[in-house]
Amino acid sequence: MRSNAAQYDLIAPGSLDAVLEVLASSTERYTPIAGGTELMVAFGAGHLQPRKLISLWGLEELRFIDVTSDAVVIGASSTFTDIRRDAVIVNEFPLLARAASWTGSIANQNRATIGGNIVNASPAADSPPALLVYNAAVTLVSARGERTMPYREFHLSYKKTALAPDELLYSITLLRNVGGYKQYIRKVGTRNAQAISKTALAAVARVNKNIIEDIRIAAASLREVPTRLPAAEQALLNKPVSTETIAQARAALIAEAKPIDDIRSTASYRANVAANLLEEFLRTL
Amino acid sequence: MTIKLTINREESAIEAPPMKRLLDVLREDLHLTGTKEGCGEGECGACAVIVNGELVNSCLVPVLQAEGARITTIEGLAGEQRLHPIQQCFLEEGGAQCGICTPGMILAAHHLLQKNPRPTFVQIQEGLAGNLCRCTGYTRIFKAVQQAANLTPVP
Amino acid sequence: MTNQRQIVGHSSPRKEGAAKVTGRAQYVDDLTLPGMWYGATVRSTIPRGRIVSITFDPAIPWHEFTIVSAADIPGENAIVHVTSDQPCLASGRVNHVAEPILLLAHPDRAALPAAVAAVNIAYEELPAVFTIEDSESQKEIIWGEDNTFKTFLLQKDRQPVPDKVWRSADCIVEGEYRTGAQEQLYIENNGVIAEYSTGEGITVRGSMQCPYYLVEALAHVFRLPAEKCRVIQTETGGAFGGKEDFPSVIGCHAALLAMKSGHPVKLCYDRAEDMAATTKRHPSRTRIRTAVSRDGKLLAGEIDFTIDGGAYVTLSPVVLSRGTIHAPGPYHWPHLTVRAKAVATNIPPHGAFRGFGAPQSIFAIERHMDKIAHTLGLAPEEVRRRNFLTTGDRTATGQLLSDSVDLDRLLTRALEESGYHTKRAQFAKENPGSAMKKGIGIASFFHGAGFTGSGERRLASVVTIELTAAGQPRILVSSTEFGQGTNTILCQIAAETLHLPYDDVLIAQPDTSVVPNSGPTVASRTAMVVGKLVERAALKLLSILMQSGDLPEDFTPEDFRRAATIYLGRHGELRSTVEYEPAASIFWDDERFSGDAYPAYAWAVYIAEVAVDTATYSAQVTDFYALQEVGRVLNPTLATGQIEGGIAQAIGYALYEKCIWQNGVLANNQMTNYIIPTSADVPLMHVSFEEVPCPHGPGGAKGIGELPMDGPAPAILNAIEQATGIAFNKIPLLPEDIYEQVERMTTAPAETAA
């Protein structure tokens, strides 16, 4: 334990409005902390730079899963366990439920929030690929009001998001329009459980008479941000599933991927395995 | 600041900085040393406790966020006269060797059986995958949990 | 004699088990002493160089701290195992990243990290060496004259291999095999609490395997007699060798802080520090050249076995010795030369880890046996059968195997129980059309129990059993419990010998002011050597009571208690002490590396099934059969648990655990990035035992603690060779390595495998 807890401050205003007020007008900078499964690791290691934190844990206004006839709206403080337990998500958005099931351990899933996962913005994060292929929208909120944007535009560059300093991620919206799509997600980690992703691929596709009418592919750890793979998609859109198109899609993926070598894996492995995962999916269509 | 918690069915008020890890509060302020630190990064599960019915890694919980919570540690599991069935089965099946992972492992097993009283073998593996053990190779632990599941009547 | 249920051979419950499952067991970090301060270590950030200056950032209130440097050491600034090259605290020169330089203590634990960070050390860096090859090249001399800690030469019959054997052989098979470092990753980090008083001396409590090793280290560093250095083992959360020699370092550090601060000092590492600074398994490189006949018989061999010892000698000569003796495998060699050496690198010194050199050399020979098989077109099990040692044979060191050895039958049984042949054929048939490639592989091996050669004679272990005031027998040994079951089996042995219920027998916490030196808890010696001493001490105690006249020949536990109380009333105490008696027949020549290397060997055949996913290139062990002959199973649950745990660690060794040093800094010193198997990664394990009682152990028991570490890695890679058609000879074998090889072969199919 390399931090001195006495040198840190953590406040927990009782409402979302109160939190937003602090973020908007406080002269001190407060860093939001939800389940803490990311920030507390840095804290334990002596690397948590921000000394003032503001807790989002316990704010019921942020922890909800609302189902309407055409959408599922997930509050940013929903934990991965909340997501795994929601029947509609499990049935209609299985890629997200599965991503939640392999995020850390059960003990971590009981605390880690989808908002934290997104805002921490690691390119290896587990939920973004699923959210990207589901065309998720994110709603951001501040004392000034709220705005909604496609999740696809949320990650700007490595660990940098579209959030303004006074904004919080409020919710993630999934439209209930993937009925009839084939869905696929697979994570390649260092072991079967509790593993950081070396790469992961999510995909949804609508196929009609062997022609791919719609396809969305997203990956973790292939770029500096969680990313859709537009070149691979273009190689497949309105094309049949065939040995040629599979080969072209693989080549397009490998060309547009820019993974890195790090202590967990190599760039070459990541790109080629991602291509294998894509091929694995395409062969089920 | 003063933070109120209910630990093993007893109410406590402790004085601690809000960011102090729940793990350290349990071990240092409350002298409940059954909960262990193995890694400080939420990987090994040796610090696992049950908060409001859910298993969490206490090394990752700032105590302020546990305000008002009902917490069960390993010390809260055994009854006055008898061991909890999971503890008894760990003893009989050799589920504990060096014992350092054992408190967290037993709580994880307890949490699993509360949510799923008749887990399959694969569900046991998954339920315990957040608790690392370096001594047993897990096999005796699986047996202990299967035994405990067999002993517990389904409500 | 008294009729009672058999205790040895029964799964008596773990002696300290109730404390462990209720969270009441006290590990060192659970303890607080009055007035206790906390310690921290300031360490080198460079792998090699000279310390130019040390400055203290004035932002820290240094007057509140105790600061210890090498200058404070009263005795010799050395942690001595075999040599005195390792300083207790560096002064002047550093030879590895994380080498300890200064120690700090403060009453507030939370104040220390900032203080450590506020010590600024300037170095003049020197070129550092990180690999066996770089060390061997001697371009940079970092230790002694030639970077070589130790060499051994083992020659069968003390003769070199005759040239004509090479020239006339049907076939020569050569191979190179490499193993990586491995972190013990006990879930409880290293930690101690030390107290110092000018009158009474030093007391250190902590997590450790060998209390008397620390006594010696303290005596040396503080120039105190051993009686003034008291060491107490606290409940230890895993060790595996990682707490064999390292506690000498951390124990001396805490004691220095206690001495200078005037307070008890707790020094407990966190995970990042423990991983970066403490010992790992020695990496190895083995080159094997064998002359074989067309029908698979070994005619001659030359084995070149090299291990990387890190920056200081520590235990490298002993690891090298065991690795050398196990290098020939359980096979008969008409001619054999093993040249072994341990070399220096600028990495934190490597140390003991379960197996202690044998997993390294056995990996090599067991991969090599498969290579011989494939080269000759013979089945892997056949080649092994044709070369197995058997009863009456002599090992490569010339030891006569007088106890019954039947590896042939063990192999047959293992093949049958695992369904090896059916699966091998099935996988061969199904693999071409499957995305998951499967394989099944064998390893046959042995592991010597006890210290090598005359080691046990030199240890001269002592065991005492005393009567408590209430008339209960209490075992006094320095043998430590750290999960393997020391407490339990020693109490079982004593109970059965004394004809008392298991629950009546006590065992004392290892406290060197109370217990004699029964030797270190290492080398798979506790059951066999110390267990035998416990048995003898119990017999002696019984005979003393019998002779007193108060114990009838046919006695009940109540009779025993009564007789004990009477005896105590009359004599005040009853202590039955015995000392190790070397069997006259054991003879070992250290110089020539020949003779009886170990009093006994356990023998094993392991079979691993794997599945390799062609999409992700990851190999997983899907099933595992472990059959071993161990003399006597003292406690089935504990023994099975030992094997299962060892298999899991060895799976990690083979497929998951990689130490990644970058310019001498361990980059993956966190559990997130150092990958050990979770519950979701282990296969079903089928463990069975055979028993050929050995005269040296209680009830015939031999050692088993390290055995399971030796076999899985080669069995797994043998299986992966079937699955992929590729011969991998380096561990850890990660998916990236499999991918790279597959990639290389797809782009240049004419190349043979690496």
Side-chain angles (χ1 to χ4, degrees), chain C residues 22-46:
Chain C
T22 55
R24 290 196 316 263
Q26 299 269 281
Y27 301 80
V28 67
D29 201 25
D30 300 331
L31 301 170
T32 311
L33 297 182
M36 189 174 81
W37 284 24
Y38 298 85
T41 311
V42 178
R43 301 178 176 280
S44 170
T45 51
I46 64 159

PDB file of all heavy atoms in Angstrom, chain C residues 22-46:
ATOM      1  N   THR C  22     -11.248 -20.406   9.756  1.00  0.00           N
ATOM      2  CA  THR C  22     -12.016 -19.383  10.465  1.00  0.00           C
ATOM      3  C   THR C  22     -11.347 -18.023  10.428  1.00  0.00           C
ATOM      4  O   THR C  22     -11.844 -17.067  11.009  1.00  0.00           O
ATOM      5  CB  THR C  22     -12.222 -19.774  11.938  1.00  0.00           C
ATOM      6  OG1 THR C  22     -10.926 -20.022  12.503  1.00  0.00           O
ATOM      7  CG2 THR C  22     -13.098 -21.000  12.081  1.00  0.00           C
ATOM      8  N   GLY C  23     -10.200 -17.941   9.795  1.00  0.00           N
ATOM      9  CA  GLY C  23      -9.501 -16.673   9.715  1.00  0.00           C
ATOM     10  C   GLY C  23      -8.760 -16.308  10.991  1.00  0.00           C
ATOM     11  O   GLY C  23      -8.304 -15.174  11.145  1.00  0.00           O
ATOM     12  N   ARG C  24      -8.599 -17.278  11.890  1.00  0.00           N
ATOM     13  CA  ARG C  24      -7.919 -16.973  13.153  1.00  0.00           C
ATOM     14  C   ARG C  24      -6.415 -17.210  13.085  1.00  0.00           C
ATOM     15  O   ARG C  24      -5.683 -16.778  13.975  1.00  0.00           O
ATOM     16  CB  ARG C  24      -8.494 -17.824  14.301  1.00  0.00           C
ATOM     17  CG  ARG C  24      -9.901 -17.446  14.719  1.00  0.00           C
ATOM     18  CD  ARG C  24     -10.254 -18.034  16.089  1.00  0.00           C
ATOM     19  NE  ARG C  24      -9.823 -19.423  16.220  1.00  0.00           N
ATOM     20  CZ  ARG C  24     -10.613 -20.475  16.028  1.00  0.00           C
ATOM     21  NH1 ARG C  24     -11.873 -20.318  15.671  1.00  0.00           N
ATOM     22  NH2 ARG C  24     -10.136 -21.689  16.162  1.00  0.00           N
ATOM     23  N   ALA C  25      -5.947 -17.881  12.065  1.00  0.00           N
ATOM     24  CA  ALA C  25      -4.505 -18.135  11.937  1.00  0.00           C
ATOM     25  C   ALA C  25      -3.786 -16.801  11.823  1.00  0.00           C
ATOM     26  O   ALA C  25      -4.222 -15.916  11.093  1.00  0.00           O
ATOM     27  CB  ALA C  25      -4.243 -18.989  10.700  1.00  0.00           C
ATOM     28  N   GLN C  26      -2.670 -16.677  12.527  1.00  0.00           N
ATOM     29  CA  GLN C  26      -1.973 -15.384  12.594  1.00  0.00           C
ATOM     30  C   GLN C  26      -0.733 -15.383  11.717  1.00  0.00           C
ATOM     31  O   GLN C  26       0.281 -16.011  12.052  1.00  0.00           O
ATOM     32  CB  GLN C  26      -1.552 -15.118  14.048  1.00  0.00           C
ATOM     33  CG  GLN C  26      -2.733 -15.048  15.006  1.00  0.00           C
ATOM     34  CD  GLN C  26      -3.241 -13.622  15.128  1.00  0.00           C
ATOM     35  OE1 GLN C  26      -2.681 -12.796  15.836  1.00  0.00           O
ATOM     36  NE2 GLN C  26      -4.310 -13.326  14.414  1.00  0.00           N
ATOM     37  N   TYR C  27      -0.824 -14.679  10.621  1.00  0.00           N
ATOM     38  CA  TYR C  27       0.321 -14.489   9.746  1.00  0.00           C
ATOM     39  C   TYR C  27       1.046 -13.226  10.220  1.00  0.00           C
ATOM     40  O   TYR C  27       0.468 -12.416  10.960  1.00  0.00           O
ATOM     41  CB  TYR C  27      -0.148 -14.369   8.298  1.00  0.00           C
ATOM     42  CG  TYR C  27      -0.918 -15.590   7.836  1.00  0.00           C
ATOM     43  CD1 TYR C  27      -2.262 -15.757   8.170  1.00  0.00           C
ATOM     44  CD2 TYR C  27      -0.298 -16.593   7.094  1.00  0.00           C
ATOM     45  CE1 TYR C  27      -2.965 -16.891   7.780  1.00  0.00           C
ATOM     46  CE2 TYR C  27      -0.999 -17.729   6.697  1.00  0.00           C
ATOM     47  CZ  TYR C  27      -2.328 -17.862   7.045  1.00  0.00           C
ATOM     48  OH  TYR C  27      -3.026 -18.993   6.657  1.00  0.00           O
ATOM     49  N   VAL C  28       2.258 -13.027   9.787  1.00  0.00           N
ATOM     50  CA  VAL C  28       3.065 -11.956  10.386  1.00  0.00           C
ATOM     51  C   VAL C  28       2.418 -10.575  10.272  1.00  0.00           C
ATOM     52  O   VAL C  28       2.454  -9.795  11.222  1.00  0.00           O
ATOM     53  CB  VAL C  28       4.512 -11.964   9.825  1.00  0.00           C
ATOM     54  CG1 VAL C  28       4.556 -11.595   8.342  1.00  0.00           C
ATOM     55  CG2 VAL C  28       5.398 -11.051  10.625  1.00  0.00           C
ATOM     56  N   ASP C  29       1.769 -10.283   9.164  1.00  0.00           N
ATOM     57  CA  ASP C  29       1.176  -8.951   9.029  1.00  0.00           C
ATOM     58  C   ASP C  29      -0.079  -8.794   9.874  1.00  0.00           C
ATOM     59  O   ASP C  29      -0.634  -7.695   9.996  1.00  0.00           O
ATOM     60  CB  ASP C  29       0.877  -8.618   7.559  1.00  0.00           C
ATOM     61  CG  ASP C  29       0.745  -7.114   7.317  1.00  0.00           C
ATOM     62  OD1 ASP C  29       1.319  -6.312   8.100  1.00  0.00           O
ATOM     63  OD2 ASP C  29       0.046  -6.715   6.366  1.00  0.00           O
ATOM     64  N   ASP C  30      -0.542  -9.871  10.492  1.00  0.00           N
ATOM     65  CA  ASP C  30      -1.691  -9.787  11.393  1.00  0.00           C
ATOM     66  C   ASP C  30      -1.260  -9.395  12.800  1.00  0.00           C
ATOM     67  O   ASP C  30      -2.099  -9.119  13.654  1.00  0.00           O
ATOM     68  CB  ASP C  30      -2.408 -11.146  11.477  1.00  0.00           C
ATOM     69  CG  ASP C  30      -2.929 -11.618  10.131  1.00  0.00           C
ATOM     70  OD1 ASP C  30      -3.241 -10.767   9.274  1.00  0.00           O
ATOM     71  OD2 ASP C  30      -3.024 -12.847   9.929  1.00  0.00           O
ATOM     72  N   LEU C  31       0.052  -9.423  13.025  1.00  0.00           N
ATOM     73  CA  LEU C  31       0.570  -9.215  14.375  1.00  0.00           C
ATOM     74  C   LEU C  31       1.014  -7.780  14.587  1.00  0.00           C
ATOM     75  O   LEU C  31       1.547  -7.140  13.678  1.00  0.00           O
ATOM     76  CB  LEU C  31       1.775 -10.127  14.631  1.00  0.00           C
ATOM     77  CG  LEU C  31       1.522 -11.622  14.485  1.00  0.00           C
ATOM     78  CD1 LEU C  31       2.839 -12.389  14.528  1.00  0.00           C
ATOM     79  CD2 LEU C  31       0.600 -12.105  15.592  1.00  0.00           C
ATOM     80  N   THR C  32       0.811  -7.293  15.791  1.00  0.00           N
ATOM     81  CA  THR C  32       1.307  -5.975  16.184  1.00  0.00           C
ATOM     82  C   THR C  32       1.971  -6.133  17.533  1.00  0.00           C
ATOM     83  O   THR C  32       1.439  -6.816  18.406  1.00  0.00           O
ATOM     84  CB  THR C  32       0.143  -4.971  16.316  1.00  0.00           C
ATOM     85  OG1 THR C  32      -0.661  -5.055  15.154  1.00  0.00           O
ATOM     86  CG2 THR C  32       0.656  -3.565  16.470  1.00  0.00           C
ATOM     87  N   LEU C  33       3.134  -5.522  17.690  1.00  0.00           N
ATOM     88  CA  LEU C  33       3.783  -5.527  18.996  1.00  0.00           C
ATOM     89  C   LEU C  33       3.715  -4.121  19.574  1.00  0.00           C
ATOM     90  O   LEU C  33       3.690  -3.146  18.819  1.00  0.00           O
ATOM     91  CB  LEU C  33       5.246  -5.958  18.861  1.00  0.00           C
ATOM     92  CG  LEU C  33       5.486  -7.382  18.336  1.00  0.00           C
ATOM     93  CD1 LEU C  33       6.976  -7.690  18.301  1.00  0.00           C
ATOM     94  CD2 LEU C  33       4.760  -8.397  19.195  1.00  0.00           C
ATOM     95  N   PRO C  34       3.722  -3.985  20.887  1.00  0.00           N
ATOM     96  CA  PRO C  34       3.664  -2.640  21.478  1.00  0.00           C
ATOM     97  C   PRO C  34       4.845  -1.799  21.018  1.00  0.00           C
ATOM     98  O   PRO C  34       5.986  -2.282  20.966  1.00  0.00           O
ATOM     99  CB  PRO C  34       3.758  -2.916  22.984  1.00  0.00           C
ATOM    100  CG  PRO C  34       3.390  -4.347  23.152  1.00  0.00           C
ATOM    101  CD  PRO C  34       3.756  -5.047  21.888  1.00  0.00           C
ATOM    102  N   GLY C  35       4.585  -0.575  20.646  1.00  0.00           N
ATOM    103  CA  GLY C  35       5.659   0.343  20.241  1.00  0.00           C
ATOM    104  C   GLY C  35       6.248   0.021  18.884  1.00  0.00           C
ATOM    105  O   GLY C  35       7.323   0.520  18.536  1.00  0.00           O
ATOM    106  N   MET C  36       5.562  -0.781  18.118  1.00  0.00           N
ATOM    107  CA  MET C  36       6.110  -1.240  16.846  1.00  0.00           C
ATOM    108  C   MET C  36       6.172  -0.135  15.804  1.00  0.00           C
ATOM    109  O   MET C  36       5.226   0.631  15.650  1.00  0.00           O
ATOM    110  CB  MET C  36       5.253  -2.395  16.317  1.00  0.00           C
ATOM    111  CG  MET C  36       5.818  -3.120  15.122  1.00  0.00           C
ATOM    112  SD  MET C  36       4.803  -4.574  14.721  1.00  0.00           S
ATOM    113  CE  MET C  36       3.470  -3.797  13.795  1.00  0.00           C
ATOM    114  N   TRP C  37       7.292  -0.068  15.103  1.00  0.00           N
ATOM    115  CA  TRP C  37       7.447   0.805  13.942  1.00  0.00           C
ATOM    116  C   TRP C  37       7.386  -0.052  12.692  1.00  0.00           C
ATOM    117  O   TRP C  37       7.292  -1.278  12.760  1.00  0.00           O
ATOM    118  CB  TRP C  37       8.791   1.531  14.004  1.00  0.00           C
ATOM    119  CG  TRP C  37       8.834   2.669  14.978  1.00  0.00           C
ATOM    120  CD1 TRP C  37       8.065   2.863  16.091  1.00  0.00           C
ATOM    121  CD2 TRP C  37       9.741   3.779  14.923  1.00  0.00           C
ATOM    122  NE1 TRP C  37       8.429   4.020  16.731  1.00  0.00           N
ATOM    123  CE2 TRP C  37       9.445   4.609  16.035  1.00  0.00           C
ATOM    124  CE3 TRP C  37      10.765   4.166  14.035  1.00  0.00           C
ATOM    125  CZ2 TRP C  37      10.149   5.796  16.291  1.00  0.00           C
ATOM    126  CZ3 TRP C  37      11.460   5.339  14.303  1.00  0.00           C
ATOM    127  CH2 TRP C  37      11.146   6.143  15.418  1.00  0.00           C
ATOM    128  N   TYR C  38       7.461   0.636  11.544  1.00  0.00           N
ATOM    129  CA  TYR C  38       7.397  -0.061  10.264  1.00  0.00           C
ATOM    130  C   TYR C  38       8.644   0.252   9.451  1.00  0.00           C
ATOM    131  O   TYR C  38       9.210   1.350   9.580  1.00  0.00           O
ATOM    132  CB  TYR C  38       6.148   0.369   9.496  1.00  0.00           C
ATOM    133  CG  TYR C  38       4.890   0.020  10.243  1.00  0.00           C
ATOM    134  CD1 TYR C  38       4.373   0.876  11.219  1.00  0.00           C
ATOM    135  CD2 TYR C  38       4.231  -1.187  10.001  1.00  0.00           C
ATOM    136  CE1 TYR C  38       3.239   0.532  11.941  1.00  0.00           C
ATOM    137  CE2 TYR C  38       3.099  -1.530  10.716  1.00  0.00           C
ATOM    138  CZ  TYR C  38       2.609  -0.664  11.688  1.00  0.00           C
ATOM    139  OH  TYR C  38       1.488  -1.012  12.391  1.00  0.00           O
ATOM    140  N   GLY C  39       9.044  -0.689   8.635  1.00  0.00           N
ATOM    141  CA  GLY C  39      10.265  -0.509   7.851  1.00  0.00           C
ATOM    142  C   GLY C  39       9.994  -0.476   6.362  1.00  0.00           C
ATOM    143  O   GLY C  39       8.953  -0.906   5.888  1.00  0.00           O
ATOM    144  N   ALA C  40      10.966   0.064   5.658  1.00  0.00           N
ATOM    145  CA  ALA C  40      10.908   0.076   4.196  1.00  0.00           C
ATOM    146  C   ALA C  40      12.335   0.062   3.676  1.00  0.00           C
ATOM    147  O   ALA C  40      13.284   0.361   4.404  1.00  0.00           O
ATOM    148  CB  ALA C  40      10.172   1.309   3.690  1.00  0.00           C
ATOM    149  N   THR C  41      12.476  -0.306   2.418  1.00  0.00           N
ATOM    150  CA  THR C  41      13.801  -0.504   1.833  1.00  0.00           C
ATOM    151  C   THR C  41      14.019   0.411   0.645  1.00  0.00           C
ATOM    152  O   THR C  41      13.152   0.519  -0.233  1.00  0.00           O
ATOM    153  CB  THR C  41      13.956  -1.980   1.385  1.00  0.00           C
ATOM    154  OG1 THR C  41      13.541  -2.830   2.456  1.00  0.00           O
ATOM    155  CG2 THR C  41      15.395  -2.296   1.010  1.00  0.00           C
ATOM    156  N   VAL C  42      15.166   1.056   0.615  1.00  0.00           N
ATOM    157  CA  VAL C  42      15.542   1.882  -0.533  1.00  0.00           C
ATOM    158  C   VAL C  42      16.443   1.029  -1.416  1.00  0.00           C
ATOM    159  O   VAL C  42      17.441   0.480  -0.941  1.00  0.00           O
ATOM    160  CB  VAL C  42      16.289   3.148  -0.075  1.00  0.00           C
ATOM    161  CG1 VAL C  42      16.719   3.972  -1.295  1.00  0.00           C
ATOM    162  CG2 VAL C  42      15.424   3.972   0.862  1.00  0.00           C
ATOM    163  N   ARG C  43      16.093   0.914  -2.675  1.00  0.00           N
ATOM    164  CA  ARG C  43      16.725  -0.068  -3.541  1.00  0.00           C
ATOM    165  C   ARG C  43      17.346   0.537  -4.782  1.00  0.00           C
ATOM    166  O   ARG C  43      16.909   1.593  -5.255  1.00  0.00           O
ATOM    167  CB  ARG C  43      15.686  -1.099  -3.975  1.00  0.00           C
ATOM    168  CG  ARG C  43      15.042  -1.832  -2.810  1.00  0.00           C
ATOM    169  CD  ARG C  43      13.992  -2.816  -3.280  1.00  0.00           C
ATOM    170  NE  ARG C  43      13.444  -3.577  -2.153  1.00  0.00           N
ATOM    171  CZ  ARG C  43      14.027  -4.623  -1.595  1.00  0.00           C
ATOM    172  NH1 ARG C  43      15.204  -5.041  -2.051  1.00  0.00           N
ATOM    173  NH2 ARG C  43      13.464  -5.261  -0.590  1.00  0.00           N
ATOM    174  N   SER C  44      18.292  -0.186  -5.332  1.00  0.00           N
ATOM    175  CA  SER C  44      18.938   0.255  -6.563  1.00  0.00           C
ATOM    176  C   SER C  44      17.945   0.304  -7.713  1.00  0.00           C
ATOM    177  O   SER C  44      17.094  -0.578  -7.851  1.00  0.00           O
ATOM    178  CB  SER C  44      20.063  -0.709  -6.933  1.00  0.00           C
ATOM    179  OG  SER C  44      20.533  -0.418  -8.233  1.00  0.00           O
ATOM    180  N   THR C  45      18.065   1.322  -8.540  1.00  0.00           N
ATOM    181  CA  THR C  45      17.225   1.405  -9.725  1.00  0.00           C
ATOM    182  C   THR C  45      18.003   1.030 -10.982  1.00  0.00           C
ATOM    183  O   THR C  45      17.443   1.036 -12.076  1.00  0.00           O
ATOM    184  CB  THR C  45      16.658   2.826  -9.904  1.00  0.00           C
ATOM    185  OG1 THR C  45      17.752   3.741  -9.830  1.00  0.00           O
ATOM    186  CG2 THR C  45      15.658   3.153  -8.814  1.00  0.00           C
ATOM    187  N   ILE C  46      19.286   0.716 -10.825  1.00  0.00           N
ATOM    188  CA  ILE C  46      20.083   0.322 -11.994  1.00  0.00           C
ATOM    189  C   ILE C  46      20.606  -1.096 -11.808  1.00  0.00           C
ATOM    190  O   ILE C  46      20.739  -1.560 -10.671  1.00  0.00           O
ATOM    191  CB  ILE C  46      21.276   1.275 -12.227  1.00  0.00           C
ATOM    192  CG1 ILE C  46      22.263   1.199 -11.050  1.00  0.00           C
ATOM    193  CG2 ILE C  46      20.790   2.704 -12.441  1.00  0.00           C
ATOM    194  CD1 ILE C  46      23.647   1.687 -11.402  1.00  0.00           C
TER     195      ILE C  46
END
